[in-house]
C-alpha cells in the first residue's frame, strides 16, 4: 500500500440535497484527507472534456447535461490506497447495485444522479487532478 491521491467529485444531486458535509465525513472517517477542494458550476466544455473517454457512449449527452445542471464540489483526497478506498466508499455506479452503507446506496437516486465521482486508476487520478487543480492549490498536511 502507498499514499495516493484521487480526484473526487460531489455531484449536483448530492450538493442539491445538502449532503456535502455528510459525504466529506465519510471520507475523513475512513482516513482520507481533503487536500484540495472547490465548488464550481461546470461549463458544457469542462464537463465534456472531463468525460472525454465516454464521448462515444450513448449516455454521454445525459451525463454532460446532469453534470452541468448545478454546482459540484471537486476535491483531491489523499491517503493510503486512496483510489480504491474512495471507490469502496462510493459503491457501485448503479445505486441499486451499491452495497448498503456506501455513499451511492445512501445518497444516490439513479445511475445518472449517482452522488459522487472517483478516479478509477492512478493514471486517471493524475489526469483528473490536473484537470481541475494547479499544484499550488493542493495542500498536503503531512
Ligand atoms: P464515475 O466516473 O462518475 O466515478 O462513475 P463510474 O466510474 O462508476 O462510472 P463510469 O463508467 O466512469 O461512468 C461515468 C458516469 O456515467 C454515468 N453512466 N451512465 N446509463 C448508463 O449505462 C451509464 N453508465 C455510466 C454514471 O453517472 C457514471 O457515474
Ligand atoms: Mg468512471
Amino acid at each position: 500500500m502507498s499514499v495516493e491521491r484521487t480526484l473526487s467529485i460531489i455531484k449536483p444531486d448530492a450538493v442539491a440535497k445538502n449532503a456535502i458535509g455528510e459525504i466529506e465525513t465519510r471520507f475523513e472517517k475512513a482516513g482520507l484527507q481533503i487536500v484540495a477542494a472547490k465548488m464550481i458550476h461546470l461549463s458544457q466544455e469542462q464537463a465534456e472534456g472531463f468525460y472525454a473517454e465516454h464521448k462515444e457512449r450513448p449516455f454521454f449527452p445525459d451525463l454532460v447535461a446532469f453534470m452541468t445542471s448545478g454546482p459540484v464540489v471537486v476535491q483531491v483526497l489523499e491517503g493510503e490506497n486512496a483510489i480504491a478506498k474512495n471507490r469502496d466508499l462510493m459503491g457501485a455506479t448503479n445505486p441499486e447495485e451499491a452495497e448498503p452503507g456506501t455513499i451511492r446506496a445512501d445518497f444516490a437516486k439513479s445511475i445518472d444522479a449517482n452522488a459522487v465521482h472517483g478516479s478509477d486508476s492512478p493514471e486517471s487520478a493524475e489526469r483528473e487532478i490536473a484537470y481541475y487543480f494547479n499544484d499550488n492549490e493542493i495542500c498536503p498536511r503531512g
Side-chain angles (χ1 to χ4, degrees), residues 121-138:
S121 66
E123 296 71 31
S124 306
E126 194 174 335
R127 180 184 69 78
E128 293 177 358
I129 290 168
Y131 193 83
Y132 292 111
F133 294 99
N134 297 318
D135 282 348
N136 66 3
E137 294 175 307
I138 301 172

Side-chain angles (χ1 to χ4, degrees), residues 11 51 54 59 63 87 90 93 104 111-112 114 117-118:
K11 294 187 178 184
Y51 283 114
H54 296 310
F59 60 79
L63 175 60
R87 301 278 298 185
M90 287 163 55
T93 308
R104 282 168 167 163
I111 194 164
D112 295 309
N114 63 359
H117 163 85

Side-chain angles (χ1 to χ4, degrees), residues 12-59:
D13 57 321
V15 173
K17 263 187 196 162
N18 227 12
I20 296 170
E22 284 187 66
I23 292 174
E24 302 293 32
T25 298
R26 293 189 182 206
F27 296 138
E28 293 187 335
K29 288 229 157 91
L32 296 171
Q33 290 186 327
I34 301 155
V35 296
K38 58 189 166 194
M39 184 178 281
I40 48 180
H41 194 143
L42 295 174
S43 68
Q44 176 93 5
E45 293 69 29
Q46 274 177 310
E48 286 177 355
F50 182 69
Y51 283 114
E53 68 185 299
H54 296 310
K55 204 167 61 209
E56 308 303 332
R57 310 282 288 276
F59 60 79

Side-chain angles (χ1 to χ4, degrees), residues 40-121:
I40 48 180
H41 194 143
L42 295 174
S43 68
Q44 176 93 5
E45 293 69 29
Q46 274 177 310
E48 286 177 355
F50 182 69
Y51 283 114
E53 68 185 299
H54 296 310
K55 204 167 61 209
E56 308 303 332
R57 310 282 288 276
F59 60 79
F60 183 72
D62 285 347
L63 175 60
V64 171
F66 172 66
M67 290 300 289
T68 57
S69 67
V72 299
V73 177
V74 294
Q75 55 194 0
V76 179
L77 306 178
E78 184 177 271
E80 288 285 340
N81 227 7
I83 296 166
K85 192 178 271 186
N86 181 39
R87 301 278 298 185
D88 287 348
L89 293 168
M90 287 163 55
T93 308
N94 183 347
E96 285 174 17
E97 292 163 14
E99 292 290 320
T102 60
I103 293 170
R104 282 168 167 163
D106 291 346
F107 296 101
K109 279 199 305 274
S110 69
I111 194 164
D112 295 309
N114 63 359
V116 282
H117 163 85
S119 306
D120 60 12
S121 66

